[in-house]
């Protein structure tokens, strides 16, 4: 392998996955892919375009093939993630090289990515444009009643398989701008301990949800049909709440929800992806 060669790491390359996993925390201090890989969740939809030197990844841009949902239509596209370069090799054009390799793979298909505010000037060089993201919520007093909905343990392979299947077969959480079939991305959040508890409301309806500072956060819903969430809220809490917030645009699940602020967790950029006007929030559990 020549020095600084861009290589593709996919689900068939476990040895190279080790090098990728060693790279990630050097660039993103709180992020870890090792458990996700150990679970066998690196699937064919995910591939990393990496610059490798002496067996080590020093720069990377990963591509996730996705089924996007835009204005009620399925759109085949991609999402970039884990884009960066190790500190000692920055300023040498390596991030540009991996971005070019990743986008060459994507071709003319729609692409999106989320970026932190330190690199907002980087992505427009590749044709990306920013897209505002909003927070949605509703003021509502809810008291816990009875036993909480059972928690699904995603450390169990069968549970992960069931989640991926439900994500593939179920309805999109939003018709405006979201994703379908992204269960393998949700398993990454669970593996990295970034996910709120996944609770089973019924066999065909699972919800990532949890309470923080008196607010019930419903991050994602995996279900075969849309149903009324209100009777189930008391089973998602162990303390009273005064507000419900959603990790997605909730027009299907709570039509009366309002915009309550700006989503400042990360900035969204899109490329070759016309989107409807108006506020939206790309589902947090479908972000890479």
């Amino acid at each position: 392998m020549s020095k600084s060669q861009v290589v593709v790491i996919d689900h068939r390359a476990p040895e190279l996955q080790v090098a990728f996993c060693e790279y990630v925390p050097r660039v993103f201090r709180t992020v870890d892919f090792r458990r996700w890989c150990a679970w066998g969740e690196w699937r064919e939809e995910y591939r990393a375009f990496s610059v490798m030197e002496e067996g080590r990844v020093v720069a990377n841009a990963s591509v996730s093939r996705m089924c996007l949902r835009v204005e009620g239509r399925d759109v085949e596209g991609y999402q970039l993630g884990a884009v960066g370069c190790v500190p000692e090799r920055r300023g040498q054009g390596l991030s540009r090289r991996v971005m070019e390799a990743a986008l060459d793979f994507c071709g003319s298909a729609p692409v999106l990515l989320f970026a932190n505010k330190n690199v907002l000037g980087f992505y427009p060089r590749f044709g990306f444009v920013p897209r505002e993201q909003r927070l949605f919520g509703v003021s509502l007093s809810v008291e816990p009643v009875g036993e909480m909905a059972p928690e699904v343990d995603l450390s169990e392979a069968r549970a992960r398989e069931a989640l991926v299947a439900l994500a593939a077969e179920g309805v999109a959480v939003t018709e405006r701008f979201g994703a379908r079939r992204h269960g393998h991305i949700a398993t990454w959040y669970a593996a990295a301990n970034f996910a709120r508890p996944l609770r089973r409301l019924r066999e065909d309806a699972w919800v990532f949800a949890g309470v923080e500072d008196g607010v019930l956060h419903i991050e994602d819903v995996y279900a075969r049909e849309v149903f009324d969430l209100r009777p189930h809220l008391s089973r998602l809490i162990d303390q009273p709440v005064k507000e419900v917030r959603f990790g997605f645009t909730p027009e299907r699940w709570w039509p009366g929800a309002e915009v309550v602020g700006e989503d400042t967790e990360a900035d969204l950029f899109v490329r070759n992806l016309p989107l409807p006007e108006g506020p939206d929030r790309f589902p947090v559990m479908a972000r890479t």
Side-chain angles (χ1 to χ4, degrees):
M1 183 182 300
S2 63
K3 186 177 181 180
S4 298
Q5 181 178 350
V6 177
V7 301
V8 179
I9 305 174
D10 62 16
H11 64 294
R12 299 166 297 187
E15 292 184 0
L16 294 179
Q17 289 176 16
V18 172
F20 172 84
C21 288
E22 292 173 348
Y23 148 85
V24 170
R26 297 178 65 197
V27 180
F28 311 97
R29 289 180 297 175
T30 62
V31 179
D32 198 325
F33 275 72
R34 287 173 294 185
R35 192 178 186 210
W36 188 68
C37 289
W39 280 0
E41 289 298 310
W42 187 316
R43 300 170 183 242
E44 62 180 347
E45 295 88 355
Y46 189 85
R47 62 186 63 201
F49 293 82
S50 303
V51 170
M52 298 196 70
E53 296 178 350
E54 298 179 350
R56 302 179 71 190
V57 173
V58 296
N60 180 81
S62 293
V63 176
S64 294
R65 187 175 73 245
M66 301 193 68
C67 177
L68 304 174
R69 190 74 173 171
V70 181
E71 294 188 283
R73 297 178 296 109
D74 284 348
V75 178
E76 294 300 320
Y78 298 93
Q79 184 175 182
L80 303 190
V83 179
C85 182
V86 297
E88 65 271 21
R89 296 290 272 115
R90 290 172 184 165
Q92 300 174 34
L94 296 184
S95 294
R96 174 184 55 79
R97 287 183 58 194
V98 293
M99 280 290 294
E100 289 174 347
L103 292 174
D104 183 62
F105 172 78
C106 296
S108 61
V111 186
L112 63 94
L113 63 84
F114 286 86
N116 64 56
K117 296 188 182 299
N118 296 328
V119 291
L120 298 188
F122 178 67
Y123 295 106
R125 304 174 193 174
F126 301 92
F128 286 90
V129 296
R131 168 79 176 190
E132 290 185 341
Q133 294 288 274
R134 300 300 186 186
L135 299 175
F136 294 86
V138 58
S139 296
L140 185 70
S141 295
V142 184
E143 299 282 338
V145 176
E147 294 185 359
M148 296 185 69
E151 185 172 349
V152 178
D153 183 2
L154 288 177
S155 68
E156 298 181 356
R158 285 185 297 180
R160 297 194 300 273
E161 292 170 2
L163 173 64
V164 171
L166 189 55
E169 300 164 3
V171 297
V173 74
T174 173
E175 293 285 79
R176 279 185 52 79
F177 174 39
R180 296 183 58 228
R181 304 197 291 269
H182 59 281
H184 58 287
I185 298 176
T187 64
W188 179 86
Y189 282 91
N193 294 318
F194 288 157
R196 300 183 191 277
L198 176 61
R199 299 197 178 274
R200 183 186 293 109
L201 297 181
R202 59 193 195 198
E203 286 303 312
D204 63 348
W206 296 7
V207 179
F208 281 102
V211 177
E212 183 178 343
D213 298 328
V215 177
L216 171 60
H217 295 267
I218 299 178
E219 302 286 41
D220 211 343
V221 182
Y222 300 84
R224 287 189 169 85
E225 61 182 10
V226 178
F227 59 92
D228 189 355
L229 281 172
R230 289 173 295 181
H232 300 278
L233 297 183
S234 62
R235 302 176 60 214
L236 296 174
I237 59 176
D238 57 3
Q239 58 183 279
V241 300
K242 298 293 186 181
E243 184 180 357
V244 181
R245 289 199 178 184
F246 301 91
F248 50 89
T249 311
E251 86 285 353
R252 306 189 78 182
W253 296 92
W254 208 291
E258 300 178 345
V259 173
V260 297
E262 180 183 357
D263 182 354
T264 58
E265 290 183 0
D267 288 76
L268 172 63
F269 287 83
V270 298
R271 182 177 188 259
N272 300 332
L273 183 58
L275 293 173
E277 295 184 0
D280 54 45
R281 191 182 195 196
F282 189 78
V284 296
M285 301 300 289
R287 302 179 184 184
T288 64

